[in-house]
Every structure is written in C-alpha cells, then in structure tokens.
Amino acid sequence: MKNILVTGGAGFIGSNFINHILKNRSDIFIVNLDKLTYAGNLNNLKDVENHQNYFFVKGDIVNDELVNYLFQKYEITHVINFAAESHVDRSILGSEVFFRTNVLGTNVLLENAKRFGVEKFVQISTDEVYGSLGPVGEFEETTPLQPNSPYAASKAAADMMALAFYHTYHVPVVITRCSNNYGLYQFPEKLIPLMIINAMNNKKLPVYGDGLNVRDWIYVIDHNKAVEMVLEKGKVGEVYNIGASTEKPNIEIVKLILKQLGKSDKLIEYVKDRPGHDRRYAINSSKIKNELAWQPQYSFESAIKNTINWYLENENWWKEIISGDYQNYYKLQYSSRSN
Ligand code: NAD
Ligand code: DAU
C-alpha cells in the first residue's frame, strides 16, 4: 500500500487525479491536503468523499507543524505536490502569495520528505518555466529555464529547490513539466472554461493581443496518467516533460468553442495584451514516451467536445463559482484590459 500525500487535490488537476486513482487503484491511500483557496472546490470530489482510501484535510502546505503531523499520522510514503497558485494573470496582479505557496510551501514539503524519508516526491511543475518560444523549436528537459511571469518564476524556484534536495540530501524527487491542460472542473479564469461560460452567457470573449499566441493543449486525464506513471516508474532526480503535441493559436480555440455552442464570432473582443505574454509553448515529450512508455490517448477534437458538453451539463458547478468572489476578480482583471 502506498500512503500518498496529495496536495492541492481540490483544484482542477489534483481533483481529476484523485478521482482517477480512487476509481482505478485499490493499493493507494490518499491524504488530500488543500487550503481551499478560491480555486479549491470539494464539489469536484463528491464521488469519492466517503471512499475508504481517502481522507481530506483543510490546511496550508506552508504550515510545517501540520505537514509534519500528517506525515507521521498517515505514515506517508509518497508526495505529489499539485498545490500552487496557478494563474498567470493573478500573479501579475500580485506576486506575494505565489512566492509563499509555490516556493515556501514546496520547501516545507521537501523538508518533511527529508525528515521522514519518503519513497518518492513528485513535484508538479509546468512548461512555463522554460519561457517563450519563437515560431520554431520545442521545449526539451534540457532547455534552460527562463521564466517570464511571477507565476512561472515561482514554479522555477520550486523546481530548483526540489532538485537541490535530491542532490544534497538524496530526497527522491521527480519533476514533471506539463503543457496547458483542459477538461472537467477547470476554474473559469483559464482560457477554455472562461470562454465557454462567457459564450453560454452571451458575454464578450476577451482575446488578448492579436489572439495568435500559441499553447500546446493536453486533456487532463492524459496528464494525470503520466503523473501516475512517473509515480510508479519515474527515475529519481529526473525531469519529465508531458504534452500531447497539440499546438493551437488562442483565436482558433475561441472560434471552435463559439461554433460548438452555436454562437456568433461577434462575441469576440480583442483586448489589451497580457504584460510579458509568452508567445508560444510547444513541448517535446519523447523522454516520457520512450522511457516510461506513456502516450496521450485522447484526441483534441473529441476531448474538447467532451469538455464543452460537461460545462453545458454542469451549470450548477460553475454558477456557484461565478456568483461568488469571482465577479470582483473578473472586474479587476478585465477593467484594465479594455482597449
Ligand atoms: P488550481 O489553481 O486549479 O488548483 C490549485 C489547488 O491548490 C487548489 O485546490 C488550491 O486550494 C490549492 N492550494 C493553493 N494554495 C495552497 C496552499 N498554500 N496549501 C494547500 N493547498 C493550496 O491549479 P491546477 O490548474 O489544478 O494546477 C495544479 C498544478 O499543476 C499546479 O502546481 C500548476 O502549477 C501545475 N500545472 C498546471 C497546468 C494547467 O494547465 N492548469 C499545466 C501544467 C502544470
Ligand atoms: O503551460 C502550462 C500553464 O498553462 C500552467 O502552468 C498554468 O497554471 C496555466 O494557467 C496555463 O497558463 P496560461 O497562461 O498559458 O493559461 P491561460 O488559460 O491563462 O491562457 C492561455 C492563453 O490564452 C494565453 O495565451 C493567454 C490567453 N488568454 C487567456 C485568458 C484567461 C486570453 O486571450 N484571454 C483570456 O481571457
């Protein structure tokens, strides 16, 4: 039996991970430590909340006393650190909480992993640590780090700290760097759910700059299967890129969403660009494919349809979110962007 401390398990990727693992594995016990920030949502975990191999703890990864207690009480053997402040635009509005959670929080987890001698520590990082690409080329694991937003810089700092714990103390760290995820339960501040929900409400769809920035998309289930594989077979001290080779300019995604929802392109509004906006991401995932035999299984065409349909069928999930503090964030974010 593995006793895994999953942090940030009430967020988008973490909750999909927990749902996936508890449906498919009986040899894993999960302690989900999540602060329930604006992005954490226990509704994502309704199907598993009473599962015998699951326990939820509301708390902060920066709280060393709490983390120490959980390692001891649950005899933690593995850590998967999803917990983070994850939204680039929010990091531009204010960086402090990004440094606190993403850097100090990871450090607290690493210290405890060292203290208790875990079998593996999976640090969930991002391709954004590599910075921005021109029209050609791909990020490889050896690409130098050149983070551009406060979010990306905080994730890069956490990666460096994790690798330092491996080299200095032999903490069995493995790092994953994935590209842009989409799927069920994604908070509607990110491109795809924001555009779906705005279109459903006949609100303007704010496209930054010329709409030609490129992201490399992966369905969240494919990402999580890769994380599961890294947990099982990933070599310690290594970094694994994860992506599905699905590069798309933002405007293409926005038009596809409008088309599937039967809405007019007139809802599109080009707004002021994101400061420091990375132009293009493209990830080379040959290493995880060759060494761990992982392959993405979902095509973009079918998984995006599935995602749009889920938002159509689950209005209650997102209506609860957008009726709260979200409106204040939305006004703050987009008041500064209108051209
Ligand atoms: P998210 O914002 O949806 O969820 C983050 C979760 O972390 C939330 O449940 C939140 O409550 C929790 N959290 C935040 N601060 C915490 C703290 N101090 N202590 C405990 N819990 C805390 O994020 P996501 O999109 O699910 O991303 C998960 C991880 O994957 C992050 O580390 C992110 O950097 C990384 N990542 C995301 C993407 C993407 O496209 N979303 C791509 C690559 C990597
Ligand atoms: O690449 C992985 C990263 O992907 C993760 O590490 C981050 O946690 C995740 O948030 C995501 O970062 P991005 O900045 O790429 O994602 P976002 O959804 O915010 O934006 C995607 C693209 O869409 C980007 O080029 C900005 C643009 N955009 C975004 C929003 C929210 C718009 O044009 N309009 C918008 O309203």
Side-chain angles (χ1 to χ4, degrees):
M1 198 80 184
K2 291 182 172 68
N3 294 333
I4 306 186
L5 179 68
V6 172
T7 69
F12 163 49
I13 303 175
S15 62
N16 275 288
F17 180 80
I18 292 175
N19 283 317
H20 164 73
I21 290 292
L22 293 178
K23 263 177 215 142
N24 294 292
R25 302 275 299 252
S26 54
D27 59 333
I28 290 181
F29 181 84
I30 291 177
V31 179
N32 174 13
L33 172 62
D34 195 297
K35 191 178 174 182
L36 297 183
T37 67
Y38 77 92
N41 188 346
L42 291 179
N43 290 335
N44 305 0
L45 294 158
K46 280 257 179 283
D47 290 351
V48 297
E49 63 189 1
N50 296 317
H51 198 290
Q52 58 177 359
N53 286 345
Y54 174 71
F55 189 72
F56 174 71
V57 180
K58 182 176 177 198
D60 193 330
I61 58 167
V62 178
N63 182 343
D64 181 61
E65 205 180 324
L66 172 65
V67 173
N68 184 90
Y69 167 80
L70 294 176
F71 267 77
Q72 203 161 18
K73 174 157 170 89
Y74 294 100
E75 297 177 357
I76 295 301
T77 55
H78 296 71
V79 178
I80 307 181
N81 183 25
F82 289 101
E85 287 295 331
S86 69
H87 193 39
V88 173
D89 288 327
R90 287 187 193 251
S91 81
I92 295 167
L93 291 173
S95 60
E96 193 178 336
V97 70
F98 284 76
F99 192 85
R100 185 182 179 279
T101 291
N102 301 358
V103 186
L104 298 181
T106 302
N107 194 60
V108 166
L109 296 170
L110 288 164
E111 284 288 357
N112 280 280
K114 174 174 71 139
R115 198 176 298 149
F116 289 93
V118 296
E119 289 170 34
K120 198 166 275 178
F121 187 114
V122 183
Q123 171 65 9
I124 305 296
S125 185
T126 165
D127 62 354
E128 292 203 16
V129 297
Y130 297 121
S132 185
L133 289 166
V136 291
E138 290 180 326
F139 298 132
E140 316 228 343
E141 286 83 355
T142 49
T143 302
L145 304 196
Q146 210 176 334
N148 291 318
S149 69
Y151 161 70
S154 68
K155 293 294 291 186
D159 283 17
M160 294 293 96
M161 197 53 96
L163 288 173
F165 269 67
Y166 166 70
H167 288 291
T168 312
Y169 309 115
H170 311 295
V171 174
V173 164
V174 189
I175 293 178
T176 62
R177 294 188 181 138
C178 190
S179 60
N180 285 62
N181 284 223
Y182 64 98
L184 284 47
Y185 304 120
Q186 188 167 31
F187 193 87
E189 62 189 353
K190 308 278 166 45
L191 180 76
I192 289 180
L194 184 130
M195 297 298 166
I196 297 171
I197 287 168
N198 278 17
M200 284 175 71
N201 289 316
N202 295 312
K203 278 181 72 175
K204 290 285 185 189
L205 274 53
V207 172
Y208 299 167
D210 60 7
L212 295 177
N213 294 64
V214 170
R215 295 294 182 265
D216 190 353
W217 295 94
I218 183 170
Y219 195 45
V220 64
I221 296 177
D222 276 330
H223 177 190
N224 280 330
K225 286 187 174 167
V227 172
E228 185 183 4
M229 228 163 229
V230 166
L231 176 78
E232 297 296 338
K233 301 194 288 182
K235 203 167 153 222
V236 300
E238 296 286 320
V239 174
Y240 294 93
N241 283 348
I242 303 169
S245 300
T246 309
E247 284 184 60
K248 306 262 177 218
N250 295 334
I251 191 66
E252 190 180 318
I253 304 259
V254 171
K255 287 188 173 169
L256 184 153
I257 290 169
L258 285 168
K259 192 168 172 212
Q260 195 178 320
L261 292 173
K263 302 280 180 171
S264 161
D265 282 5
K266 290 194 179 120
L267 285 177
I268 294 171
E269 180 179 31
Y270 286 93
V271 299
K272 264 192 207 130
D273 210 353
R274 171 187 279 177
H277 196 177
D278 286 339
R279 190 62 175 170
R280 174 173 165 259
Y281 301 150
I283 198 137
N284 182 321
S285 21
S286 331
K287 178 172 171 179
I288 190 167
K289 287 178 178 158
N290 294 338
E291 294 183 14
L292 305 187
W294 171 83
Q295 284 287 345
Q297 287 163 353
Y298 290 86
S299 75
F300 181 76
E301 289 66 29
S302 70
I304 190 77
K305 265 192 198 146
N306 205 23
T307 303
I308 296 172
N309 285 338
W310 185 84
Y311 282 90
L312 275 170
E313 286 159 13
N314 287 277
E315 284 200 6
N316 287 346
W317 182 86
W318 54 262
K319 279 199 168 151
E320 196 176 318
I321 292 172
I322 66 168
S323 64
D325 233 20
Y326 180 81
Q327 295 300 336
N328 294 332
Y329 163 75
Y330 196 86
K331 274 187 208 133
L332 188 65
Q333 189 60 257
Y334 292 98
S335 62
S336 60
R337 288 209 191 277
S338 46
N339 272 318

